[in-house]
Amino acid sequence: MSTRTRTAETVVPFEEVMRRFDPVMGLEVHVELNTATKMFCGCATEFGAEPNTQVCPVCLGLPGALPVVNHAAVESAIRIGLALNCEIASWCRFARKNYFYPDMPKNFQTSQYDEPIAFGGYLDVEHDDGAGGTEVFRVGIERAHMEEDTGKSLHVGGSTGRIHGADYSLVDYNRAGIPLIEIVTTPLTGAGERAPEIAKAYVSALRDLLKALGVSDVRMEQGSMRCDANVSLRAKVSDDPASVEQAAVPLGTRTETKNVNSLRSVERAVRYEITRHAAVLDSGSPITQETRHWHEDTGVTTSGRPKSDADDYRYFPEPDLVPVAPTREDVERLRATLPEPPQERRKRLQADWGYSDLEMRDVVNAGALEVIEDTVAAGATPAAARKWWTGELARRANSEGVEVTAMGVTPAHVAELDGLVRDGRLNDSMARQVLEGVLAGEGGPAEVADARGLELVQDDGALEAAVDKVIAAHPDVADKIRDGKVQAAGALIGQVMKEMRGQADAAKARALILERLGVS
Amino acid sequence: MTDLTRLTAARMAEGLAAGDFTSEALTQAHLDRIERLNPVLNAYLQVDTEGALATARAVDAARAAGESLPRLAGVPVAVKDIACTVGIPTTAGSRMLEGWVPPYDATIVTRLKEARMPILGKTNMDEFAMGSSTEHSAYGPTRNPWDLERIPGGSGGGSSAAVAAYLAPLAIGSDTGGSIRQPAAVTGTVGTKPTYGGVSRYGVIALASSLDQIGPCARTVADAALLHEVVAGHDPMDSTSIDAPVPPVLEASATRDLTGLRVGVVREISGEGFQAGVLARFEEAVEELKALGAEVVEVSCPHFRYAMAAYYLILPSEASSNLARYDAMRYGLRVGPDGVDSPSAEQVMGASRDAGFGDEVKRRIILGTYALSSGYYDAYYGQAQKVRTLIARDFEAAFSQADVLVSPTAPTTAFRIGDQTEDPMTMYLNDIATIPANLAGVPGLSLPVGVADEDGLPVGLQVLAPATEDQRLYAVAAALEERLHTAWGGPVLDRAPTVESQEVPA
Ligand SMILES: [Zn+2]
């Protein structure tokens, strides 16, 4: 019997696990499509509407109501399949997945079972090779299939927010019938110790791809993209996780961790499950095949309901729908609408922006490609855009545990800030202070600079006076510079900036010092 | 003054158009008769007196104003309680939906309204259309106007009894395995199951989605064709609806000569196990078809013998899933389990389904749940689907030898209420001749061909045609009906005793 306690379980340190075990993952990603209407009825799909206002007889499962397939959703599904290098079924059906749950109006989910619309593809995912370079890991895509979302239950009362122990539950059927695509990977072997980061890199790459396709809002925090992570361990028999000997070892029992709803959590949840599995196996117990719940706050998973191959959903072909049979021409027409593949796009942008491989990798790892593209489009230099998004802003995002794009600073803000620096109105440290203000919600960069009185002194007379004063006060340093030790100018620049209370352009100060000392 | 309720629907339409009488008078005549006889027959579960009269008056006013109106405008109609009707409770004969008032109309109901036909009310049926006698209604059995101690067929016994007893000139039925045709046969009326997809199922409470079809119940072939034309045709709300013009059924119902038509007698459903009087009337009817110029051949459909077994796997499987939505969460009956203070949703679902469903419904849900279970799926549901394909091939082969097929509609005449309720298998056999058409999706029609010598009760002949060739049913049935009426000096219903003359059983 499973327990529902939140007590952290014993874990084995990750590095130690990796000495003895080989992790295998399977990732299932549910993506809500951004079609105007639901999968099988004409109801709107807008996020955040008043509960139960976007419903009709069909998505409420009223007696007599019948589904009709949303063709826009089928087209999105095909485009996703094509972008994931899948084969597209020339004929496939929907099936009913039967089980009782209050948030499922018909007590069956209309889904696809053994006839998915897309199958047999892959997605190449770039990740850090740990030695300063980039490696490509090919994630096999077993299938991508269409289905409808369920309603959303809100369990009121009790301590866990789950149905058990709740006083009562409310159900919002606005979400019932929203088109979903479920993308299922093959069992991912050969990742070794990189498994957690590859999991994250895959979900990130998938998110970029879906965004580029324009088929979904892919907002993990709103649940329009949700990830379930299957993890199992098997004995490690080779130092090469991709070796033939390692591949021959049978897979261990897996757990399926649900609700992994941020990129960061994907990596953390996979890592946690790996370390937990190892502890269970070390204790001599078998792994229980079950669903587990990820807790973002505590960083652990807890036992959900036992899951076994005996789970019987009594699938059968949905008799109320006719088969979906896209023609060759339909598929080719949709193929022609695919956007530039993300990897090619990355190559193009790297060339356009003049980034080194290392710089580009940092950008990709920080998930900042889109935002830099938007920032450059808003007028910033590529170098400045990179500096801000992978530097100061990435640091802040990381320490706060949020996505870099979720902090309230927009590409337009960064471009404006860069403009102020390039116009000589702000220096670096002032720009950072301005950014503080923008992050604190004080307004746009120009507004913050004005409000905080941050502006470089443009009066050359004051700067010249300060330079002369500093040179006079540090004759020893001045001599060194005259002798050609130009790097010693840094100490004098610091003093000049102090004199100017920071409101000076450091480059200008340096030029003036060198000029005065006759070395320019 | 003539009793308006005795007219055919076609004559009612003519009379209304000619101003011989008003729709209000016609509708009121039916409502009066319903008020008087329905307590005995229990054909209607709901009577919408005000709604029907309002429509009738509106039609009369429109006609008086010289508006052009649809052909059946002002002719009343009854609707099986399986179709959703805004403002009129819809129960599917189940306790589960007692008092549930749909917020939307079934497509066929919308079409009846567009045709401006007053809807008299909702007719009784076996619970969720599971049965062949209407005894499985949660609201009591309907009685056969020919003999109040007998069943009117099922599941649409309410519609057939209403039409046979002149409580409605026309009625809507639904046919999953014979629920329109078998009640027509045992009440001496006409009923058609159109080609699967010929009539929208949207808003009709599903029993078995791949078998269900909606169709007309009437007293004459031409009347059935009139109603068929009103409700048939493509509906974008039903994905399985056929996007093609409605077969010319009305035109076909004027057919009087069958010269050159090839009629196939299906050996497997025209002999063994059928009541002697049923077979005798059937054989005579086949002779009449020859006299009308048809060429009669015997055809064999060897896989029909597996139809019953396949049907009782496919139907319960689909039904177990279709009926899962009745869980007390959003609508319908809700009861808590006994002795539980604050029951869980799961407990409420269980208790409500236990209290809301009758035995026959539970029997089929359990059967279907079992048949779809992993490990059994291939042996049961999968195998049944293969049989279905074989039956469709049997039809194809038969239709290469004959333009239409014929058989008795039901193996017996109306049996006594209570006779078969203890034995589901015997009950299931009532549909032995009608089920193959549902499995293959082909259209079928039943028309009266006389009464059995041994009990004086009506016998039906079934005509079957290839998919989308529904007009062939009407051509054959209309020609045969005309010939029989001429020979008899009137319809077979004229030989039925009046309801008033019969002793009301306790
Ligand atoms: Zn809807």
Side-chain angles (χ1 to χ4, degrees), chain A residues 16-32:
Chain A
E16 195 195 324
V17 180
M18 286 304 133
R19 282 198 287 276
R20 294 185 284 123
F21 293 101
D22 178 49
V24 179
M25 302 183 288
L27 298 163
E28 293 171 18
V29 173
H30 285 88
V31 182
E32 279 185 356

Side-chain angles (χ1 to χ4, degrees), chain B residues 100-112:
Chain B
W100 181 65
V101 182
Y104 78 110
D105 276 331
T107 297
I108 51 153
V109 172
T110 303
R111 293 196 175 163
L112 295 176

Side-chain angles (χ1 to χ4, degrees), chain A residues 295-338:
Chain A
H295 302 279
E296 184 97 40
D297 48 353
T298 48
V300 302
T301 66
T302 54
S303 179
R305 101 195 137 79
K307 190 185 173 101
S308 70
D309 294 330
D311 269 349
D312 192 349
Y313 294 118
R314 289 173 281 118
Y315 282 102
F316 72 103
E318 165 59 277
D320 284 327
L321 290 170
V322 290
V324 174
T327 64
R328 207 62 255 148
E329 295 75 57
D330 290 338
V331 173
E332 291 315 311
R333 177 176 55 76
L334 292 168
R335 197 191 299 277
T337 68
L338 294 184

Side-chain angles (χ1 to χ4, degrees), chain B residues 247 276 410 420 451:
Chain B
Q420 294 187 4
V451 298

Side-chain angles (χ1 to χ4, degrees), chain A residues 38 41-43 54-60:
Chain A
K38 292 186 180 180
C41 65
C43 288
Q54 292 174 170
V55 293
C56 75
V58 177
C59 58
L60 282 178

